[in-house]
Amino acid sequence: MTERQEQAAPDALLTRIGQVVMLHHAGDREEARHRFLGLWAEIGEDGDPLHRCTLAHYLADTQDDPEDELAWDLRALTAAEEAGGTPAHHGGPAVRALYPSLHLNLAADYVRLGRPDAARAHLDRARGAARTLADDRYGEGVRAAIRR
């Protein structure tokens, strides 16, 4: 019973990350980057892989330098791979749903950096991973981005 309650309880850190995402989407990129970096310092390099994956995934989008964006996107992918072997309540399915977007972001990073072969490889991975997405708004949005 307690385990079921823990699974249903909202994840406070993911909620905080979501709040900063809203700040970023509202146009305050610099403040969002500052707050994301504060959260990163809080969870650290050894924090929960789902938290690290989610945070690095969004932190990448606040970077001005394409190399920095690539570094954060690679951190997100590494954390996703670490989380892949954890029990479902620690992010396994949630992280798998991020793979198409993670690879799509990496493809875009490599395009900006003039590395078309790496970009194509990640676009192919994004396409493959997108097969597992649900037929919902998120899934359709990611599949549309892959088609573009």
Side-chain angles (χ1 to χ4, degrees):
M1 178 77 137
T2 303
E3 182 179 323
R4 209 177 297 167
Q5 288 173 339
E6 288 173 9
Q7 288 175 348
D11 186 318
L13 188 58
L14 290 179
T15 298
R16 291 168 61 202
I17 291 169
Q19 291 168 340
V20 180
V21 169
M22 289 189 298
L23 178 68
H24 180 229
H25 288 169
D28 199 342
R29 183 179 177 147
E30 188 68 32
E31 181 62 22
R33 179 174 42 233
H34 174 73
R35 290 187 190 188
F36 279 143
L37 287 170
L39 290 172
W40 186 262
E42 191 176 310
I43 65 171
E45 292 284 337
D46 297 321
D48 179 271
L50 174 61
H51 293 156
R52 286 185 291 118
C53 175
T54 305
L55 184 53
H57 185 53
Y58 288 114
L59 188 50
D61 294 337
T62 67
Q63 301 305 303
D64 296 323
D65 183 294
E67 291 283 350
D68 292 337
E69 186 171 0
L70 174 62
W72 283 108
D73 280 330
L74 288 170
R75 281 184 189 101
L77 183 60
T78 298
E81 290 166 349
E82 289 176 29
T86 63
H89 67 278
H90 285 289
V95 171
R96 278 192 298 278
L98 287 174
Y99 270 104
S101 183
L102 294 170
H103 285 294
L104 187 61
N105 284 1
L106 284 163
D109 294 342
Y110 285 122
V111 165
R112 280 191 291 282
L113 293 168
R115 296 173 60 187
D117 291 340
R120 274 190 289 281
H122 281 283
L123 185 57
D124 288 344
R125 289 181 187 145
R127 281 188 187 109
R131 289 186 210 122
T132 64
L133 292 175
D135 289 328
D136 58 10
R137 245 175 106 190
Y138 174 76
E140 187 47 45
V142 172
R143 282 188 289 273
I146 291 170
R147 287 190 297 271
R148 284 192 299 273

